[in-house]
Amino acid sequence: MTQARPALFAAAAALPALAALHAAPVISTFGPLRNTAMPRLAGQGRPDHVALTFDDGPDHLSTPLFLRFLEARGIHATFFLLGSMLARSPGLAKEMAAAAHEIAVHGWHHRPLLVRGPRTTYDDLARARDAVADVTGRPPVLFRPPYGVMTTAAHLACRRLGLTPVLWTCWGEDWRKRATPRSVEDTVLRDLRGGGTILLHDSDCTSATGSWRTTLQALPRILDTCQAHGWQVGPLREHGHRAQ
């Protein structure tokens, strides 16, 4: 018993260091730092292009309306799907892929990776990646973590699974209950630059009920502003961010 104590003390002493290592990538959550020091992770691309991305779908109630709007505007986007939502609407995901939208991974469950260990993190990403590949017929290559919080375990899992993590340079805060079309527009456009990546949501499964309607109403002005600046709008696969 006495001989075991040093090993126990050593293990206990190592725990804070392991926790710090696990959480170190959380620093990338800070947008200004990410945009300046981590342009690839932030999703910065070529200056004449803006990447339009949506999280939390596919939702059988709201996503079809986004698809209809984007088709009318002649625009493709990147959709980061939750595996748990994909399981409910696999036909809709097939429709999205058939319409030439880029399908990416947002994990299986929308839970913070910071409270997950390496095995749980890997299993969640692998399950979601495999589900997207099975439904669409094409393995996804991009991953966005829930809440935009990366961990060391998430980076290692992405490397094993052939996924590239991508966050964003601007968002609309469209998940908030108090969000309005104007607030979403202003929040996006305040930080939007050529080469930027926009984060919005085509589902309210983790947001205020009905918030997707606010997002949908905000899209026309956002896209009109991009057009006025001469920025092409499209998915991340056309963004050029992987070349950085």
Side-chain angles (χ1 to χ4, degrees):
M1 186 72 176
T2 303
Q3 293 177 347
R5 286 181 179 177
L8 290 174
F9 289 148
L15 287 177
L18 291 174
L21 177 63
H22 176 67
V26 171
I27 193 172
S28 65
T29 307
F30 183 56
L33 174 64
R34 179 176 71 246
N35 293 343
T36 301
M38 310 169 194
R40 189 167 185 264
L41 181 61
Q44 291 187 16
R46 65 179 204 264
D48 64 338
H49 190 270
V50 166
L52 180 62
T53 71
F54 297 93
D55 286 6
D56 293 356
D59 190 311
H60 71 283
L61 292 176
S62 54
T63 302
L65 298 178
F66 283 83
L67 298 180
R68 196 176 308 161
F69 171 81
L70 293 173
E71 182 181 14
R73 296 288 297 243
I75 290 174
H76 297 112
T78 299
F79 288 85
F80 288 87
L81 305 189
L82 286 170
S84 56
M85 296 293 285
L86 174 62
R88 299 177 189 178
S89 302
L92 179 55
K94 286 184 179 180
E95 179 184 339
M96 297 162 73
H101 295 291
E102 183 175 30
I103 308 301
V105 174
H106 199 34
W108 189 270
H109 295 294
H110 201 281
R111 297 172 185 165
L113 296 179
L114 196 58
V115 297
R116 298 186 188 182
R119 180 59 183 270
T120 306
T121 296
Y122 177 84
D123 289 348
D124 182 272
L125 269 63
R127 186 182 181 190
R129 183 205 63 174
D130 292 347
V132 168
D134 289 344
V135 169
T136 67
R138 177 176 297 181
V141 296
L142 300 178
F143 167 69
R144 177 175 288 159
Y147 306 104
V149 177
M150 288 294 292
T151 62
T152 297
H155 279 290
L156 293 175
C158 283
R159 182 173 299 180
R160 289 178 61 189
L161 294 168
L163 296 171
T164 299
V166 181
L167 300 183
W168 58 86
T169 64
C170 60
W171 59 6
E173 297 186 353
D174 52 340
W175 66 88
R176 299 177 183 273
K177 185 177 181 180
R178 65 174 183 269
T180 66
R182 185 57 184 264
S183 75
V184 172
E185 296 162 5
D186 290 346
T187 304
V188 168
L189 298 177
R190 179 185 62 212
D191 297 321
L192 184 60
R193 304 290 185 273
T197 291
I198 301 172
L199 164 62
L200 296 169
H201 297 79
D202 62 308
S203 169
D204 63 4
C205 69
T206 65
S207 307
T209 301
S211 57
W212 61 266
R213 294 185 176 87
T214 300
T215 305
L216 195 58
Q217 293 174 44
L219 273 173
R221 182 178 168 224
I222 293 172
L223 296 182
D224 290 345
T225 300
C226 290
Q227 184 177 14
H229 281 86
W231 300 328
Q232 300 176 25
V233 178
L236 280 162
R237 66 171 177 248
E238 300 173 358
H239 199 42
H241 80 287
R242 295 186 188 87
Q244 295 179 2

